[in-house]
Amino acid sequence: MVNSKPYVIGIDMGGTNTVFGIVDARGIVLASDSIKTRKHSNINDYIDELYQETMRLVKATDTEGKIYGIGVGAPNANYFTGMIEDGVNLPWPTPVPFAQLLSDKFGIPVAITNDANAAAIGEMTYGAARGLKDFIMITLGTGVGSGIVINGQLVYGHDGFAGELGHVIVKRNNGRLCGCGRAGCLETYCSATGVARTAREFLEIRNEPSTLRDIPVDAITSKDVYDAAINGDKIAKDIFEYTGEILGEALADFTAFSSPEAFVLFGGLAKSGELLLRPIRNAMEKNMLSIYKGKVSVLLSELKEADAAVLGASALGWEAKPLTTSLAVPATAAPAAPQA
Amino acid sequence: MVNSKPYVIGIDMGGTNTVFGIVDARGIVLASDSIKTRKHSNINDYIDELYQETMRLVKATDTEGKIYGIGVGAPNANYFTGMIEDGVNLPWPTPVPFAQLLSDKFGIPVAITNDANAAAIGEMTYGAARGLKDFIMITLGTGVGSGIVINGQLVYGHDGFAGELGHVIVKRNNGRLCGCGRAGCLETYCSATGVARTAREFLEIRNEPSTLRDIPVDAITSKDVYDAAINGDKIAKDIFEYTGEILGEALADFTAFSSPEAFVLFGGLAKSGELLLRPIRNAMEKNMLSIYKGKVSVLLSELKEADAAVLGASALGWEAKPLTTSLAVPATAAPAAPQA
């Protein structure tokens, strides 16, 4: 059967930019562009601009009337309810029925989920996780996010909030304070921000020379640490060892949960490559229960970062269903198969 | 459609006893009995005895020819391969193709899984988890086991070994040595054995009087600690606080994985009731990410312990399928829907 609507729209809402694109069934991005997420204080103005700009791409690509659905990745977006529940960095009040508002505007079915879940769907559909039925996506950006796939299905949990592995506690005592209000979360150590914190700590407690000392301590980024490590800086290399060890220990524990075939790493920090991968793999294998040893791969995302967010979100567009007039889907009434 | 085979056989293989019973579709145990697991050093002799004794019950209950399938819960049993992979406490060599051997003997389809998974299936079918699509079974016995249900399906992982939450590391530094060869595993603190270890530690480092001091220190069991706590013994009560706090912290982390509606506790230690539940709930809520707070129940198993193992295993019998002649199912070729 030829699908008369062979395109989807992918929208990735970040704290700064909202990227959107038209994508075909093979994962080719026909066109993409972006708007500023925080320009409007009224969500209707934001949606108006998003609609205008997206429809401009639709017309330019001659895909009008051929869009099957819209997929959205957004922080704290809930797949079950279609709501953005808590928009820490968003200029309009939340919770907001984002899927409904977008669907009303475009007249096209909309599915939304959080950004890490969208990345997992994109990786499964087009990237390093093609053919894998059991894997865990770990996004290493400003924070640490995760999208868990079990038996080919994304895990949403009973309330749509499953997969917050960045907030598993890895240091029970004297752990670093986390933005979530607790202490010792994985993301305080293994995010880009966490690497910068580690740099500040290491520079303070150690006396060796380091090119990182040439940078004002509060301005050090994970990219600075990466550059220094590549140039052989001992402290910078140790920072990656430390980060990778904590993440590897955590991945060993995560394995005891769903026994995945692979972890797929995505995001700025994942671009550190072997500098981070080697200590992760070593610590993971060393800390794993014996039945899992040697079975679990740690892979890097294969999606181009510029396309990844839109691709991931767009893949969700294929499972968008028309919303009923009543928005409220009971959290316990999970769809039978959230993943196509 | 009337099912012409309305009964299943449930078999629970423990380290000491193998319990088996005939169960109907409503979960009524028509008859049950047990044999010694370790009596025979040859597995064929064990299977012969199991067959003779089970068929005796089948004849007594007039269910011959009416058995749909056999479900087995056994340590380290693999749902995908039908193998018992590693029988630490079994007198015959492993791995052994247990499902195949049993199916050949009885001429009835057999499905096997590990004991904690069987308990989860039993609880979902007949117990405290009826109607729940997302919950985690935690078995608190000699060790700590787990069975994870997501979207109504038991999680087996890519290799059949998912759900070893007793071996998540809860103390990264100076943790207790575990039977698995590592240190700091949840089960070294929160199993019946873990409670006895805590008792020995507390009695050594603290000076208060305790009725537990009347028992030879190496003979103290979790039951002794329970009895003392019920009688108001301060140290015994603190042991339960300590145990519950560690378990509650762990449950908070597990929630970040699959966002379950409930944890269901099963096994000897779970019979401690509020003595253990109160500190678990307190620590879980205190350590949870805010989006999960107040949403996750901690329940006790509702299955009678005498029946629970057989019921759980029998529920798996309904999804038993005739094995093909080739036993080897690739570990990656997961059945589409392992849970009926």
Side-chain angles (χ1 to χ4, degrees):
Chain A
M1 192 181 79
V2 176
N3 191 336
S4 64
K5 294 188 174 179
Y7 302 99
V8 282
I9 293 171
I11 298 176
D12 177 69
M13 185 195 296
T16 306
N17 296 308
T18 297
V19 188
F20 47 91
I22 319 292
V23 182
D24 74 11
R26 292 166 302 162
I28 307 292
V29 180
L30 276 61
S32 68
D33 204 343
S34 70
I35 62 171
K36 293 290 170 198
T37 302
R38 299 172 52 78
K39 182 172 161 190
H40 307 284
S41 59
N42 184 316
I43 186 160
N44 292 313
D45 297 334
Y46 167 80
I47 284 179
D48 281 347
E49 186 183 356
L50 185 57
Y51 176 75
Q52 300 299 340
E53 293 300 306
T54 305
M55 288 312 289
R56 191 175 48 75
L57 295 191
V58 166
K59 291 195 174 77
T61 54
D62 194 26
T63 53
E64 201 162 5
K66 299 175 189 165
I67 306 289
Y68 183 85
I70 300 175
V72 181
N76 292 302
N78 190 306
Y79 177 82
F80 291 144
T81 63
M83 308 284 281
I84 294 178
E85 306 265 352
D86 182 11
V88 178
N89 292 309
L90 301 176
W92 53 75
T94 51
V96 66
F98 195 76
Q100 181 79 67
L101 292 173
L102 216 57
S103 176
D104 288 349
K105 188 74 186 181
F106 282 82
I108 296 173
V110 174
I112 73 176
T113 192
N114 76 39
D115 35 1
N117 287 345
I121 294 170
E123 210 68 45
M124 181 163 55
T125 314
Y126 306 115
R130 268 174 303 179
L132 299 188
K133 298 188 75 168
D134 294 274
F135 73 98
I136 298 179
M137 187 89 192
I138 305 280
T139 61
L140 303 168
T142 312
V144 172
S146 63
I148 301 164
V149 173
I150 291 177
N151 207 12
Q153 299 182 1
L154 201 75
V155 174
Y156 292 105
H158 86 283
D159 58 354
F161 288 119
E164 288 289 350
L165 299 184
H167 294 283
V168 161
I169 306 291
V170 296
K171 297 270 180 194
R172 191 63 66 184
N173 300 309
N174 299 315
R176 291 179 183 167
L177 284 178
C178 182
C180 76
R182 303 177 308 153
C185 293
L186 180 64
E187 89 167 25
T188 66
Y189 296 90
C190 299
S191 60
T193 333
V195 167
R197 286 171 86 166
T198 303
R200 291 196 285 279
E201 277 186 20
F202 277 33
L203 291 172
E204 187 169 324
I205 59 174
R206 290 169 58 160
N207 294 317
E208 298 116 293
S210 166
T211 55
L212 292 172
R213 297 193 192 277
D214 301 337
I215 305 168
V217 73
D218 286 336
I220 293 175
T221 66
S222 61
K223 179 66 166 57
D224 296 327
V225 181
Y226 173 76
D227 291 340
I230 288 295
N231 287 319
D233 189 273
K234 177 74 168 66
I235 286 189
K237 289 199 287 186
D238 287 354
I239 291 166
F240 274 98
E241 287 289 324
Y242 178 83
T243 307
E245 187 175 339
I246 292 175
L247 187 50
E249 289 170 354
L251 298 189
D253 276 348
F254 299 162
T255 301
F257 206 101
S258 64
S259 192
E261 295 173 78
F263 292 96
V264 182
L265 308 185
F266 177 80
L269 208 54
K271 287 187 283 189
S272 313
E274 281 302 315
L275 205 55
L276 190 63
L277 278 178
R278 196 186 41 73
I280 288 174
R281 289 186 178 124
N282 287 349
M284 185 182 81
E285 286 298 328
K286 187 180 160 199
N287 286 279
M288 236 170 203
L289 193 61
S290 60
I291 49 169
Y292 304 125
K293 280 185 199 287
K295 287 183 182 175
V296 185
S297 308
V298 182
L299 308 172
L300 297 179
S301 165
E302 288 179 4
L303 298 181
K304 275 188 292 180
E305 198 170 15
D307 288 346
V310 163
L311 270 179
S314 77
L316 187 65
W318 295 111
E319 51 180 287
K321 304 264 184 308
L323 288 169
T324 55
T325 45
S326 164
L327 184 73
V329 176
T332 48
Q339 178 58 27
Chain B
M1 189 181 79
V2 176
N3 191 334
S4 64
K5 294 189 173 179
Y7 302 99
V8 281
I9 293 171
I11 298 176
D12 177 69
M13 185 196 297
T16 306
N17 295 308
T18 297
V19 188
F20 47 91
I22 320 292
V23 182
D24 74 11
R26 291 166 302 161
I28 307 293
V29 180
L30 275 63
S32 68
D33 205 342
S34 69
I35 61 171
K36 293 290 170 198
T37 303
R38 300 172 51 80
K39 182 173 163 191
H40 307 285
S41 59
N42 184 316
I43 185 159
N44 292 315
D45 296 335
Y46 167 80
I47 285 179
D48 281 348
E49 186 182 357
L50 185 57
Y51 176 76
Q52 300 299 340
E53 293 301 307
T54 306
M55 289 313 290
R56 189 173 50 74
L57 295 192
V58 166
K59 291 195 174 75
T61 54
D62 194 25
T63 54
E64 201 163 6
K66 299 176 190 167
I67 306 289
Y68 183 86
I70 299 175
V72 182
N76 291 303
N78 190 307
Y79 177 81
F80 291 145
T81 64
M83 309 283 283
I84 293 178
E85 306 264 354
D86 180 12
V88 178
N89 291 311
L90 301 176
W92 52 78
T94 51
V96 67
F98 195 76
Q100 181 78 67
L101 293 171
L102 216 57
S103 176
D104 288 350
K105 188 74 185 179
F106 281 81
I108 295 173
V110 175
I112 73 176
T113 192
N114 77 40
D115 35 0
N117 286 345
I121 294 170
E123 209 68 45
M124 181 161 57
T125 314
Y126 305 115
R130 266 174 305 178
L132 299 189
K133 298 190 74 169
D134 295 274
F135 72 99
I136 298 179
M137 187 89 193
I138 304 280
T139 61
L140 303 168
T142 312
V144 172
S146 64
I148 300 164
V149 173
I150 291 178
N151 207 11
Q153 298 180 3
L154 201 75
V155 174
Y156 291 105
H158 86 284
D159 59 353
F161 287 120
E164 287 290 351
L165 298 184
H167 294 283
V168 161
I169 307 292
V170 296
K171 296 269 180 194
R172 191 63 64 182
N173 301 307
N174 299 313
R176 291 178 184 169
L177 285 178
C178 183
C180 75
R182 302 178 308 153
C185 293
L186 180 64
E187 91 168 22
T188 66
Y189 296 90
C190 299
S191 60
T193 332
V195 166
R197 286 171 87 166
T198 303
R200 290 196 286 278
E201 277 186 19
F202 276 33
L203 291 171
E204 187 169 324
I205 57 174
R206 290 168 58 160
N207 296 317
E208 299 116 293
S210 168
T211 55
L212 293 172
R213 296 191 191 280
D214 302 336
I215 306 169
V217 73
D218 286 335
I220 293 174
T221 66
S222 61
K223 179 67 165 57
D224 296 326
V225 181
Y226 173 77
D227 291 340
I230 287 295
N231 288 319
D233 188 273
K234 178 72 167 68
I235 286 189
K237 289 199 288 186
D238 287 354
I239 292 167
F240 274 98
E241 288 288 325
Y242 177 84
T243 306
E245 187 175 337
I246 293 175
L247 187 50
E249 288 170 353
L251 298 189
D253 276 349
F254 299 163
T255 301
F257 206 101
S258 63
S259 192
E261 294 173 78
F263 292 96
V264 182
L265 309 184
F266 176 81
L269 207 53
K271 286 186 283 187
S272 312
E274 282 301 315
L275 206 54
L276 190 61
L277 278 179
R278 197 186 40 74
I280 288 175
R281 288 185 178 126
N282 286 348
M284 184 181 82
E285 287 297 330
K286 187 180 158 198
N287 287 278
M288 237 171 203
L289 193 60
S290 60
I291 50 169
Y292 303 125
K293 281 185 197 289
K295 288 182 182 175
V296 186
S297 308
V298 183
L299 309 173
L300 297 179
S301 165
E302 287 179 6
L303 299 181
K304 273 189 293 179
E305 197 167 16
D307 287 345
V310 164
L311 270 180
S314 77
L316 188 65
W318 295 111
E319 50 180 288
K321 305 264 183 308
L323 287 171
T324 54
T325 45
S326 165
L327 183 73
V329 176
T332 48
Q339 177 58 26

